[in-house]
PDB file of all heavy atoms in Angstrom:
ATOM      1  N   ARG C 297     106.960 153.766 147.379  1.00 96.00           N
ATOM      2  CA  ARG C 297     106.067 152.744 147.967  1.00 96.00           C
ATOM      3  C   ARG C 297     106.705 152.079 149.182  1.00 96.00           C
ATOM      4  O   ARG C 297     106.040 151.803 150.188  1.00 96.00           O
ATOM      5  CB  ARG C 297     105.730 151.687 146.909  1.00 96.00           C
ATOM      6  CG  ARG C 297     104.769 150.617 147.379  1.00 96.00           C
ATOM      7  CD  ARG C 297     104.538 149.548 146.311  1.00 96.00           C
ATOM      8  NE  ARG C 297     103.721 148.484 146.860  1.00 96.00           N
ATOM      9  CZ  ARG C 297     104.198 147.468 147.581  1.00 96.00           C
ATOM     10  NH1 ARG C 297     105.486 147.390 147.857  1.00 96.00           N
ATOM     11  NH2 ARG C 297     103.393 146.535 148.053  1.00 96.00           N
ATOM     12  N   ALA C 298     108.026 151.843 149.105  1.00 95.00           N
ATOM     13  CA  ALA C 298     108.736 151.169 150.211  1.00 95.00           C
ATOM     14  C   ALA C 298     109.168 152.159 151.297  1.00 95.00           C
ATOM     15  O   ALA C 298     109.844 151.782 152.254  1.00 95.00           O
ATOM     16  CB  ALA C 298     109.959 150.432 149.665  1.00 95.00           C
ATOM     17  N   LYS C 299     108.780 153.436 151.111  1.00 94.00           N
ATOM     18  CA  LYS C 299     109.092 154.499 152.068  1.00 94.00           C
ATOM     19  C   LYS C 299     110.588 154.788 152.186  1.00 94.00           C
ATOM     20  O   LYS C 299     111.062 155.267 153.208  1.00 94.00           O
ATOM     21  CB  LYS C 299     108.480 154.198 153.450  1.00 94.00           C
ATOM     22  CG  LYS C 299     106.963 154.123 153.416  1.00 94.00           C
ATOM     23  CD  LYS C 299     106.375 153.986 154.808  1.00 94.00           C
ATOM     24  CE  LYS C 299     104.874 154.231 154.810  1.00 94.00           C
ATOM     25  NZ  LYS C 299     104.124 153.328 153.944  1.00 94.00           N
ATOM     26  N   VAL C 300     111.330 154.450 151.126  1.00 94.00           N
ATOM     27  CA  VAL C 300     112.736 154.869 151.060  1.00 94.00           C
ATOM     28  C   VAL C 300     112.776 156.363 150.714  1.00 94.00           C
ATOM     29  O   VAL C 300     113.610 157.113 151.219  1.00 94.00           O
ATOM     30  CB  VAL C 300     113.512 154.052 150.005  1.00 94.00           C
ATOM     31  CG1 VAL C 300     114.924 154.588 149.811  1.00 94.00           C
ATOM     32  CG2 VAL C 300     113.551 152.574 150.398  1.00 94.00           C
ATOM     33  N   LEU C 301     111.843 156.787 149.850  1.00 94.00           N
ATOM     34  CA  LEU C 301     111.691 158.198 149.500  1.00 94.00           C
ATOM     35  C   LEU C 301     110.330 158.688 150.000  1.00 94.00           C
ATOM     36  O   LEU C 301     109.371 157.901 150.060  1.00 94.00           O
ATOM     37  CB  LEU C 301     111.761 158.393 147.981  1.00 94.00           C
ATOM     38  CG  LEU C 301     113.054 157.964 147.270  1.00 94.00           C
ATOM     39  CD1 LEU C 301     112.916 158.174 145.761  1.00 94.00           C
ATOM     40  CD2 LEU C 301     114.262 158.719 147.807  1.00 94.00           C
ATOM     41  N   PRO C 302     110.226 159.984 150.339  1.00 94.00           N
ATOM     42  CA  PRO C 302     108.930 160.512 150.789  1.00 94.00           C
ATOM     43  C   PRO C 302     107.920 160.574 149.641  1.00 94.00           C
ATOM     44  O   PRO C 302     108.303 160.641 148.470  1.00 94.00           O
ATOM     45  CB  PRO C 302     109.274 161.922 151.301  1.00 94.00           C
ATOM     46  CG  PRO C 302     110.551 162.283 150.622  1.00 94.00           C
ATOM     47  CD  PRO C 302     111.290 160.996 150.380  1.00 94.00           C
ATOM     48  N   GLU C 303     106.642 160.576 149.982  1.00 93.00           N
ATOM     49  CA  GLU C 303     105.569 160.542 148.972  1.00 93.00           C
ATOM     50  C   GLU C 303     105.611 161.735 148.021  1.00 93.00           C
ATOM     51  O   GLU C 303     105.238 161.633 146.857  1.00 93.00           O
ATOM     52  CB  GLU C 303     104.190 160.497 149.659  1.00 93.00           C
ATOM     53  CG  GLU C 303     103.959 159.202 150.401  1.00 93.00           C
ATOM     54  CD  GLU C 303     102.579 158.623 150.140  1.00 93.00           C
ATOM     55  OE1 GLU C 303     101.821 159.218 149.356  1.00 93.00           O
ATOM     56  OE2 GLU C 303     102.282 157.567 150.715  1.00 93.00           O
ATOM     57  N   ASP C 304     106.071 162.888 148.525  1.00 92.00           N
ATOM     58  CA  ASP C 304     106.052 164.105 147.700  1.00 92.00           C
ATOM     59  C   ASP C 304     107.402 164.343 147.020  1.00 92.00           C
ATOM     60  O   ASP C 304     107.719 165.464 146.635  1.00 92.00           O
ATOM     61  CB  ASP C 304     105.676 165.316 148.557  1.00 92.00           C
ATOM     62  CG  ASP C 304     106.669 165.525 149.716  1.00 92.00           C
ATOM     63  OD1 ASP C 304     107.548 164.647 149.915  1.00 92.00           O
ATOM     64  OD2 ASP C 304     106.561 166.543 150.419  1.00 92.00           O
ATOM     65  N   TYR C 305     108.193 163.273 146.839  1.00 90.00           N
ATOM     66  CA  TYR C 305     109.538 163.429 146.277  1.00 90.00           C
ATOM     67  C   TYR C 305     109.472 164.010 144.866  1.00 90.00           C
ATOM     68  O   TYR C 305     108.733 163.512 144.017  1.00 90.00           O
ATOM     69  CB  TYR C 305     110.254 162.069 146.234  1.00 90.00           C
ATOM     70  CG  TYR C 305     111.745 162.178 145.998  1.00 90.00           C
ATOM     71  CD1 TYR C 305     112.621 162.401 147.053  1.00 90.00           C
ATOM     72  CD2 TYR C 305     112.283 162.067 144.716  1.00 90.00           C
ATOM     73  CE1 TYR C 305     113.986 162.505 146.855  1.00 90.00           C
ATOM     74  CE2 TYR C 305     113.649 162.174 144.502  1.00 90.00           C
ATOM     75  CZ  TYR C 305     114.492 162.394 145.575  1.00 90.00           C
ATOM     76  OH  TYR C 305     115.847 162.511 145.370  1.00 90.00           O
ATOM     77  N   ASP C 306     110.231 165.062 144.635  1.00 89.00           N
ATOM     78  CA  ASP C 306     110.240 165.714 143.323  1.00 89.00           C
ATOM     79  C   ASP C 306     111.321 165.053 142.454  1.00 89.00           C
ATOM     80  O   ASP C 306     112.463 165.499 142.407  1.00 89.00           O
ATOM     81  CB  ASP C 306     110.516 167.214 143.474  1.00 89.00           C
ATOM     82  CG  ASP C 306     110.419 167.956 142.138  1.00 89.00           C
ATOM     83  OD1 ASP C 306     110.202 167.281 141.107  1.00 89.00           O
ATOM     84  OD2 ASP C 306     110.573 169.190 142.131  1.00 89.00           O
ATOM     85  N   PHE C 307     110.921 164.007 141.760  1.00 87.00           N
ATOM     86  CA  PHE C 307     111.878 163.217 140.976  1.00 87.00           C
ATOM     87  C   PHE C 307     112.479 164.043 139.832  1.00 87.00           C
ATOM     88  O   PHE C 307     113.671 163.988 139.554  1.00 87.00           O
ATOM     89  CB  PHE C 307     111.182 161.958 140.453  1.00 87.00           C
ATOM     90  CG  PHE C 307     112.038 161.108 139.574  1.00 87.00           C
ATOM     91  CD1 PHE C 307     113.260 160.617 140.028  1.00 87.00           C
ATOM     92  CD2 PHE C 307     111.639 160.790 138.281  1.00 87.00           C
ATOM     93  CE1 PHE C 307     114.059 159.832 139.210  1.00 87.00           C
ATOM     94  CE2 PHE C 307     112.426 160.008 137.462  1.00 87.00           C
ATOM     95  CZ  PHE C 307     113.646 159.530 137.929  1.00 87.00           C
ATOM     96  N   GLU C 308     111.629 164.830 139.170  1.00 87.00           N
ATOM     97  CA  GLU C 308     112.101 165.607 138.008  1.00 87.00           C
ATOM     98  C   GLU C 308     113.249 166.540 138.380  1.00 87.00           C
ATOM     99  O   GLU C 308     114.142 166.801 137.576  1.00 87.00           O
ATOM    100  CB  GLU C 308     110.950 166.408 137.394  1.00 87.00           C
ATOM    101  CG  GLU C 308     109.882 165.555 136.723  1.00 87.00           C
ATOM    102  CD  GLU C 308     110.449 164.642 135.636  1.00 87.00           C
ATOM    103  OE1 GLU C 308     111.250 165.131 134.814  1.00 87.00           O
ATOM    104  OE2 GLU C 308     110.123 163.446 135.627  1.00 87.00           O
ATOM    105  N   ALA C 309     113.230 167.060 139.597  1.00 89.00           N
ATOM    106  CA  ALA C 309     114.262 168.009 140.036  1.00 89.00           C
ATOM    107  C   ALA C 309     115.586 167.313 140.364  1.00 89.00           C
ATOM    108  O   ALA C 309     116.599 167.970 140.573  1.00 89.00           O
ATOM    109  CB  ALA C 309     113.775 168.777 141.269  1.00 89.00           C
ATOM    110  N   HIS C 310     115.557 165.983 140.418  1.00 90.00           N
ATOM    111  CA  HIS C 310     116.750 165.236 140.834  1.00 90.00           C
ATOM    112  C   HIS C 310     117.329 164.371 139.718  1.00 90.00           C
ATOM    113  O   HIS C 310     118.100 163.450 139.980  1.00 90.00           O
ATOM    114  CB  HIS C 310     116.428 164.352 142.050  1.00 90.00           C
ATOM    115  CG  HIS C 310     116.203 165.139 143.296  1.00 90.00           C
ATOM    116  ND1 HIS C 310     114.958 165.595 143.647  1.00 90.00           N
ATOM    117  CD2 HIS C 310     117.065 165.575 144.256  1.00 90.00           C
ATOM    118  CE1 HIS C 310     115.050 166.266 144.781  1.00 90.00           C
ATOM    119  NE2 HIS C 310     116.310 166.279 145.161  1.00 90.00           N
ATOM    120  N   LYS C 311     116.944 164.636 138.466  1.00 88.00           N
ATOM    121  CA  LYS C 311     117.540 163.869 137.368  1.00 88.00           C
ATOM    122  C   LYS C 311     118.092 164.808 136.305  1.00 88.00           C
ATOM    123  O   LYS C 311     117.531 165.887 136.061  1.00 88.00           O
ATOM    124  CB  LYS C 311     116.538 162.877 136.770  1.00 88.00           C
ATOM    125  CG  LYS C 311     115.492 163.477 135.878  1.00 88.00           C
ATOM    126  CD  LYS C 311     114.634 162.397 135.243  1.00 88.00           C
ATOM    127  CE  LYS C 311     113.692 163.010 134.228  1.00 88.00           C
ATOM    128  NZ  LYS C 311     112.515 162.255 133.986  1.00 88.00           N
ATOM    129  N   LYS C 312     119.174 164.375 135.703  1.00 88.00           N
ATOM    130  CA  LYS C 312     119.832 165.187 134.682  1.00 88.00           C
ATOM    131  C   LYS C 312     120.223 164.264 133.532  1.00 88.00           C
ATOM    132  O   LYS C 312     120.839 163.209 133.745  1.00 88.00           O
ATOM    133  CB  LYS C 312     121.087 165.833 135.290  1.00 88.00           C
ATOM    134  CG  LYS C 312     121.797 166.802 134.368  1.00 88.00           C
ATOM    135  CD  LYS C 312     123.008 167.409 135.083  1.00 88.00           C
ATOM    136  CE  LYS C 312     123.774 168.341 134.172  1.00 88.00           C
ATOM    137  NZ  LYS C 312     125.037 168.776 134.791  1.00 88.00           N
ATOM    138  N   LEU C 313     119.839 164.654 132.319  1.00 85.00           N
ATOM    139  CA  LEU C 313     120.176 163.859 131.137  1.00 85.00           C
ATOM    140  C   LEU C 313     121.536 164.312 130.604  1.00 85.00           C
ATOM    141  O   LEU C 313     121.739 165.508 130.364  1.00 85.00           O
ATOM    142  CB  LEU C 313     119.100 164.014 130.059  1.00 85.00           C
ATOM    143  CG  LEU C 313     117.665 163.684 130.488  1.00 85.00           C
ATOM    144  CD1 LEU C 313     116.707 163.815 129.313  1.00 85.00           C
ATOM    145  CD2 LEU C 313     117.583 162.286 131.073  1.00 85.00           C
ATOM    146  N   VAL C 314     122.470 163.368 130.469  1.00 86.00           N
ATOM    147  CA  VAL C 314     123.844 163.703 130.067  1.00 86.00           C
ATOM    148  C   VAL C 314     124.301 162.795 128.922  1.00 86.00           C
ATOM    149  O   VAL C 314     123.681 161.764 128.654  1.00 86.00           O
ATOM    150  CB  VAL C 314     124.823 163.569 131.267  1.00 86.00           C
ATOM    151  CG1 VAL C 314     124.458 164.550 132.369  1.00 86.00           C
ATOM    152  CG2 VAL C 314     124.856 162.136 131.793  1.00 86.00           C
ATOM    153  N   PRO C 315     125.423 163.156 128.236  1.00 81.00           N
ATOM    154  CA  PRO C 315     125.890 162.335 127.106  1.00 81.00           C
ATOM    155  C   PRO C 315     126.392 160.960 127.533  1.00 81.00           C
ATOM    156  O   PRO C 315     126.579 160.678 128.716  1.00 81.00           O
ATOM    157  CB  PRO C 315     127.042 163.160 126.515  1.00 81.00           C
ATOM    158  CG  PRO C 315     126.924 164.518 127.102  1.00 81.00           C
ATOM    159  CD  PRO C 315     126.217 164.370 128.402  1.00 81.00           C
ATOM    160  N   MET C 316     126.630 160.110 126.550  1.00 73.00           N
ATOM    161  CA  MET C 316     127.151 158.750 126.737  1.00 73.00           C
ATOM    162  C   MET C 316     128.531 158.768 127.384  1.00 73.00           C
ATOM    163  O   MET C 316     129.294 159.703 127.194  1.00 73.00           O
ATOM    164  CB  MET C 316     127.260 158.100 125.355  1.00 73.00           C
ATOM    165  CG  MET C 316     127.466 156.623 125.393  1.00 73.00           C
ATOM    166  SD  MET C 316     125.935 155.822 125.791  1.00 73.00           S
ATOM    167  CE  MET C 316     126.012 154.485 124.658  1.00 73.00           C
ATOM    168  N   GLN C 317     128.828 157.724 128.147  1.00 71.00           N
ATOM    169  CA  GLN C 317     130.154 157.588 128.765  1.00 71.00           C
ATOM    170  C   GLN C 317     131.031 156.627 127.964  1.00 71.00           C
ATOM    171  O   GLN C 317     130.507 155.707 127.331  1.00 71.00           O
ATOM    172  CB  GLN C 317     130.015 157.006 130.169  1.00 71.00           C
ATOM    173  CG  GLN C 317     129.516 157.981 131.188  1.00 71.00           C
ATOM    174  CD  GLN C 317     130.098 157.644 132.540  1.00 71.00           C
ATOM    175  OE1 GLN C 317     130.693 158.469 133.194  1.00 71.00           O
ATOM    176  NE2 GLN C 317     129.919 156.415 132.951  1.00 71.00           N
ATOM    177  N   PRO C 318     132.370 156.783 128.018  1.00 70.00           N
ATOM    178  CA  PRO C 318     133.252 155.820 127.338  1.00 70.00           C
ATOM    179  C   PRO C 318     133.031 154.405 127.869  1.00 70.00           C
ATOM    180  O   PRO C 318     132.857 154.204 129.066  1.00 70.00           O
ATOM    181  CB  PRO C 318     134.664 156.316 127.706  1.00 70.00           C
ATOM    182  CG  PRO C 318     134.496 157.725 128.146  1.00 70.00           C
ATOM    183  CD  PRO C 318     133.114 157.837 128.709  1.00 70.00           C
ATOM    184  N   GLY C 319     133.026 153.438 126.950  1.00 61.00           N
ATOM    185  CA  GLY C 319     132.879 152.030 127.349  1.00 61.00           C
ATOM    186  C   GLY C 319     131.449 151.547 127.407  1.00 61.00           C
ATOM    187  O   GLY C 319     131.186 150.347 127.433  1.00 61.00           O
ATOM    188  N   ASP C 320     130.497 152.498 127.446  1.00 66.00           N
ATOM    189  CA  ASP C 320     129.090 152.111 127.494  1.00 66.00           C
ATOM    190  C   ASP C 320     128.557 151.825 126.098  1.00 66.00           C
ATOM    191  O   ASP C 320     129.117 152.278 125.101  1.00 66.00           O
ATOM    192  CB  ASP C 320     128.256 153.225 128.123  1.00 66.00           C
ATOM    193  CG  ASP C 320     128.020 152.992 129.610  1.00 66.00           C
ATOM    194  OD1 ASP C 320     128.531 151.988 130.115  1.00 66.00           O
ATOM    195  OD2 ASP C 320     127.338 153.815 130.248  1.00 66.00           O
ATOM    196  N   VAL C 321     127.464 151.093 126.037  1.00 68.00           N
ATOM    197  CA  VAL C 321     126.804 150.832 124.753  1.00 68.00           C
ATOM    198  C   VAL C 321     125.350 151.304 124.859  1.00 68.00           C
ATOM    199  O   VAL C 321     124.772 151.300 125.939  1.00 68.00           O
ATOM    200  CB  VAL C 321     126.857 149.325 124.372  1.00 68.00           C
ATOM    201  CG1 VAL C 321     128.285 148.892 124.129  1.00 68.00           C
ATOM    202  CG2 VAL C 321     126.209 148.453 125.436  1.00 68.00           C
ATOM    203  N   PRO C 322     124.740 151.707 123.734  1.00 71.00           N
ATOM    204  CA  PRO C 322     123.389 152.267 123.808  1.00 71.00           C
ATOM    205  C   PRO C 322     122.295 151.238 124.099  1.00 71.00           C
ATOM    206  O   PRO C 322     121.260 151.570 124.654  1.00 71.00           O
ATOM    207  CB  PRO C 322     123.184 152.907 122.434  1.00 71.00           C
ATOM    208  CG  PRO C 322     124.211 152.304 121.546  1.00 71.00           C
ATOM    209  CD  PRO C 322     125.344 151.860 122.404  1.00 71.00           C
ATOM    210  N   VAL C 323     122.521 149.984 123.705  1.00 75.00           N
ATOM    211  CA  VAL C 323     121.455 148.987 123.891  1.00 75.00           C
ATOM    212  C   VAL C 323     122.046 147.620 124.209  1.00 75.00           C
ATOM    213  O   VAL C 323     123.129 147.271 123.731  1.00 75.00           O
ATOM    214  CB  VAL C 323     120.555 148.892 122.619  1.00 75.00           C
ATOM    215  CG1 VAL C 323     121.334 148.379 121.430  1.00 75.00           C
ATOM    216  CG2 VAL C 323     119.322 148.025 122.859  1.00 75.00           C
ATOM    217  N   THR C 324     121.367 146.872 125.089  1.00 80.00           N
ATOM    218  CA  THR C 324     121.661 145.443 125.238  1.00 80.00           C
ATOM    219  C   THR C 324     120.329 144.698 125.099  1.00 80.00           C
ATOM    220  O   THR C 324     119.307 145.136 125.628  1.00 80.00           O
ATOM    221  CB  THR C 324     122.309 145.098 126.600  1.00 80.00           C
ATOM    222  OG1 THR C 324     121.389 145.386 127.664  1.00 80.00           O
ATOM    223  CG2 THR C 324     123.598 145.873 126.811  1.00 80.00           C
ATOM    224  N   TYR C 325     120.364 143.598 124.371  1.00 88.00           N
ATOM    225  CA  TYR C 325     119.113 142.898 124.032  1.00 88.00           C
ATOM    226  C   TYR C 325     119.480 141.442 123.757  1.00 88.00           C
ATOM    227  O   TYR C 325     120.168 141.131 122.794  1.00 88.00           O
ATOM    228  CB  TYR C 325     118.501 143.587 122.805  1.00 88.00           C
ATOM    229  CG  TYR C 325     117.159 143.081 122.339  1.00 88.00           C
ATOM    230  CD1 TYR C 325     116.532 143.678 121.250  1.00 88.00           C
ATOM    231  CD2 TYR C 325     116.502 142.017 122.955  1.00 88.00           C
ATOM    232  CE1 TYR C 325     115.300 143.248 120.791  1.00 88.00           C
ATOM    233  CE2 TYR C 325     115.278 141.581 122.510  1.00 88.00           C
ATOM    234  CZ  TYR C 325     114.671 142.194 121.425  1.00 88.00           C
ATOM    235  OH  TYR C 325     113.462 141.759 120.978  1.00 88.00           O
ATOM    236  N   ALA C 326     119.002 140.550 124.614  1.00 92.00           N
ATOM    237  CA  ALA C 326     119.394 139.137 124.533  1.00 92.00           C
ATOM    238  C   ALA C 326     118.458 138.333 123.641  1.00 92.00           C
ATOM    239  O   ALA C 326     117.237 138.374 123.814  1.00 92.00           O
ATOM    240  CB  ALA C 326     119.395 138.518 125.934  1.00 92.00           C
ATOM    241  N   ASP C 327     119.037 137.598 122.711  1.00 93.00           N
ATOM    242  CA  ASP C 327     118.310 136.549 122.003  1.00 93.00           C
ATOM    243  C   ASP C 327     118.448 135.289 122.860  1.00 93.00           C
ATOM    244  O   ASP C 327     119.545 134.758 123.035  1.00 93.00           O
ATOM    245  CB  ASP C 327     118.936 136.334 120.629  1.00 93.00           C
ATOM    246  CG  ASP C 327     118.235 135.241 119.823  1.00 93.00           C
ATOM    247  OD1 ASP C 327     117.544 134.403 120.438  1.00 93.00           O
ATOM    248  OD2 ASP C 327     118.393 135.209 118.595  1.00 93.00           O
ATOM    249  N   THR C 328     117.332 134.814 123.426  1.00 94.00           N
ATOM    250  CA  THR C 328     117.387 133.665 124.353  1.00 94.00           C
ATOM    251  C   THR C 328     116.843 132.393 123.705  1.00 94.00           C
ATOM    252  O   THR C 328     116.471 131.442 124.399  1.00 94.00           O
ATOM    253  CB  THR C 328     116.598 133.980 125.636  1.00 94.00           C
ATOM    254  OG1 THR C 328     115.268 134.404 125.290  1.00 94.00           O
ATOM    255  CG2 THR C 328     117.268 135.088 126.433  1.00 94.00           C
ATOM    256  N   THR C 329     116.808 132.365 122.373  1.00 95.00           N
ATOM    257  CA  THR C 329     116.258 131.204 121.659  1.00 95.00           C
ATOM    258  C   THR C 329     116.950 129.908 122.067  1.00 95.00           C
ATOM    259  O   THR C 329     116.289 128.891 122.320  1.00 95.00           O
ATOM    260  CB  THR C 329     116.423 131.382 120.128  1.00 95.00           C
ATOM    261  OG1 THR C 329     115.977 132.687 119.762  1.00 95.00           O
ATOM    262  CG2 THR C 329     115.625 130.348 119.371  1.00 95.00           C
ATOM    263  N   ALA C 330     118.282 129.929 122.144  1.00 95.00           N
ATOM    264  CA  ALA C 330     119.032 128.699 122.453  1.00 95.00           C
ATOM    265  C   ALA C 330     118.754 128.228 123.876  1.00 95.00           C
ATOM    266  O   ALA C 330     118.614 127.022 124.134  1.00 95.00           O
ATOM    267  CB  ALA C 330     120.533 128.939 122.261  1.00 95.00           C
ATOM    268  N   LEU C 331     118.645 129.168 124.806  1.00 96.00           N
ATOM    269  CA  LEU C 331     118.338 128.821 126.206  1.00 96.00           C
ATOM    270  C   LEU C 331     116.963 128.165 126.298  1.00 96.00           C
ATOM    271  O   LEU C 331     116.787 127.148 126.988  1.00 96.00           O
ATOM    272  CB  LEU C 331     118.384 130.098 127.053  1.00 96.00           C
ATOM    273  CG  LEU C 331     118.191 129.946 128.566  1.00 96.00           C
ATOM    274  CD1 LEU C 331     119.351 129.206 129.195  1.00 96.00           C
ATOM    275  CD2 LEU C 331     118.029 131.325 129.215  1.00 96.00           C
ATOM    276  N   GLU C 332     116.001 128.723 125.582  1.00 96.00           N
ATOM    277  CA  GLU C 332     114.648 128.152 125.575  1.00 96.00           C
ATOM    278  C   GLU C 332     114.654 126.767 124.917  1.00 96.00           C
ATOM    279  O   GLU C 332     114.027 125.824 125.410  1.00 96.00           O
ATOM    280  CB  GLU C 332     113.687 129.064 124.823  1.00 96.00           C
ATOM    281  CG  GLU C 332     113.410 130.386 125.515  1.00 96.00           C
ATOM    282  CD  GLU C 332     112.586 131.318 124.633  1.00 96.00           C
ATOM    283  OE1 GLU C 332     111.463 130.935 124.259  1.00 96.00           O
ATOM    284  OE2 GLU C 332     113.079 132.419 124.314  1.00 96.00           O
ATOM    285  N   ARG C 333     115.378 126.646 123.813  1.00 97.00           N
ATOM    286  CA  ARG C 333     115.409 125.381 123.061  1.00 97.00           C
ATOM    287  C   ARG C 333     116.055 124.270 123.888  1.00 97.00           C
ATOM    288  O   ARG C 333     115.533 123.153 123.953  1.00 97.00           O
ATOM    289  CB  ARG C 333     116.211 125.594 121.776  1.00 97.00           C
ATOM    290  CG  ARG C 333     116.356 124.361 120.895  1.00 97.00           C
ATOM    291  CD  ARG C 333     117.432 124.591 119.841  1.00 97.00           C
ATOM    292  NE  ARG C 333     118.758 124.701 120.431  1.00 97.00           N
ATOM    293  CZ  ARG C 333     119.696 125.561 120.030  1.00 97.00           C
ATOM    294  NH1 ARG C 333     119.452 126.427 119.052  1.00 97.00           N
ATOM    295  NH2 ARG C 333     120.876 125.582 120.623  1.00 97.00           N
ATOM    296  N   ASP C 334     117.188 124.558 124.522  1.00 97.00           N
ATOM    297  CA  ASP C 334     117.961 123.502 125.183  1.00 97.00           C
ATOM    298  C   ASP C 334     117.553 123.264 126.630  1.00 97.00           C
ATOM    299  O   ASP C 334     117.738 122.157 127.146  1.00 97.00           O
ATOM    300  CB  ASP C 334     119.461 123.842 125.143  1.00 97.00           C
ATOM    301  CG  ASP C 334     120.009 123.851 123.720  1.00 97.00           C
ATOM    302  OD1 ASP C 334     119.298 123.374 122.813  1.00 97.00           O
ATOM    303  OD2 ASP C 334     121.140 124.336 123.515  1.00 97.00           O
TER     304      ASP C 334
END
Side-chain angles (χ1 to χ4, degrees):
R297 183 183 174 276
K299 298 187 167 59
V300 173
L301 300 177
E303 293 225 2
D304 59 353
Y305 194 85
D306 185 357
F307 177 57
E308 292 304 314
H310 290 90
K311 76 175 186 205
K312 185 179 178 188
L313 305 183
V314 297
M316 194 76 138
Q317 284 211 126
D320 264 1
V321 295
V323 65
T324 64
Y325 184 179
D327 180 339
T328 53
T329 312
L331 184 67
E332 292 173 60
R333 179 194 67 219
D334 295 348

